[in-house]
């Protein structure tokens, strides 16, 4: 996805194409490579972990290890999308720790009704999106982590509900302070069709 970014050492000079392991300098070729590898890696078993920051970073590393050298690493430049600036890099580690401590304190959403799970998971995802820890691959890591959480609490994860436009709209609304569309989307994902 195209970002508002400062001059970016992770890109090939004079372009907005991220340096990658195949040295593809054409954005559409990189997109295709990224998608292929993401799909392959997401069909493999995901890294084991404790639903904490380390686990979240390991998940991103797993999904993007074939494409970028910095899979699982926190970004170091400021980025935004559509006029929304995400967390400044110097605060990302602390913010991630804070939000994942909240998740632990909430017992990883165990034992909640689907509606309550959806509301709490919407808040978690909205926070993680506002932090946007990685230079790329945030949306896909968010949704993979949501699938992990649903599995952890024994709820289904109906991936066919994931309409791209609906996800992005709900995320943008959550950034603006309204988490309800995201909660409704997650409710639809974790309840049987
Ligand atoms: N204007 C915006 N404000 C806040 N969040 C946004 C905005 N536009 C998109 N997003 C969210 O940012 C995330 C996408 O981030 P990023 O591009 O790093 O992830 P990706 O996995 O590479 O891409 P995608 O999720 O689009 O496949 C998604 O959760 C998306 O909903």
């Amino acid at each position: 996805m195209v970002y508002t970014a400062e001059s970016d050492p992770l890109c090939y000079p004079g372009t907005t194409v991220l340096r990658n392991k195949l040295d593809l300098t054409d954005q559409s070729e990189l997109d295709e490579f990224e998608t292929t590898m993401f799909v392959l890696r997401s069909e493999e078993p995901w890294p084991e972990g404790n639903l904490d920051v380390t686990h979240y970073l390991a998940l991103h590393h797993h999904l993007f290890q074939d494409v970028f050298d910095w899979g699982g690493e926190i970004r170091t430049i400021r980025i935004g999308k559509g006029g929304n600036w995400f967390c400044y890099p110097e605060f990302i580690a602390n913010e991630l720790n804070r939000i994942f401590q909240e998740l632990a304190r909430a017992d990883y959403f165990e034992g909640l009704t689907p509606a309550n799970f959806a509301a709490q998971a919407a808040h978690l995802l909205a926070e993680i999106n506002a932090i946007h820890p990685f230079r790329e691959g945030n949306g896909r890591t968010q949704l993979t982590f949501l699938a992990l959480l649903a599995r952890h609490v024994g709820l289904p994860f109906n991936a066919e509900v994931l309409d791209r436009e609906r996800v992005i709209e709900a995320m943008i609304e959550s950034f603006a302070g309204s988490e309800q569309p995201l909660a409704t989307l997650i409710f639809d994902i974790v309840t049987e069709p």
Side-chain angles (χ1 to χ4, degrees), residues 27-142:
Q27 185 64 51
S28 54
E29 284 181 23
L30 173 58
D31 288 344
E32 199 176 315
F33 175 51
E34 213 180 296
T35 303
T36 305
M37 298 321 296
F38 168 78
V39 170
L40 282 172
R41 291 296 183 182
S42 59
E43 285 169 354
E44 288 180 353
W46 299 331
E48 299 287 331
N50 301 319
L51 300 174
D52 55 9
V53 177
T54 306
H55 198 183
Y56 197 77
L57 301 181
L59 201 53
H60 183 273
H61 176 267
H62 175 77
L63 296 171
F64 295 100
Q65 61 184 301
D66 309 284
V67 186
F68 303 117
D69 288 332
W70 42 265
E73 288 177 21
I74 288 173
R75 71 183 151 83
T76 55
I77 64 154
R78 296 179 182 182
I79 58 171
K81 272 183 199 287
N84 292 334
W85 285 92
F86 300 116
C87 184
Y88 286 176
E90 55 271 40
F91 304 120
I92 292 176
N94 277 351
E95 284 295 291
L96 279 181
N97 282 327
R98 179 182 63 78
I99 195 70
F100 279 93
Q101 277 164 14
E102 273 179 31
L103 177 62
R105 273 199 299 274
D107 287 331
Y108 307 98
F109 306 158
E110 290 163 19
L112 300 179
T113 61
N116 285 339
F117 174 88
Q120 298 226 28
H123 181 66
L124 175 76
L125 251 59
E127 292 263 36
I128 294 178
N129 188 55
I131 300 168
H132 234 72
F134 310 112
R135 178 61 185 81
E136 166 89 350
N138 290 280
R140 285 167 283 182
T141 309
Q142 289 160 11

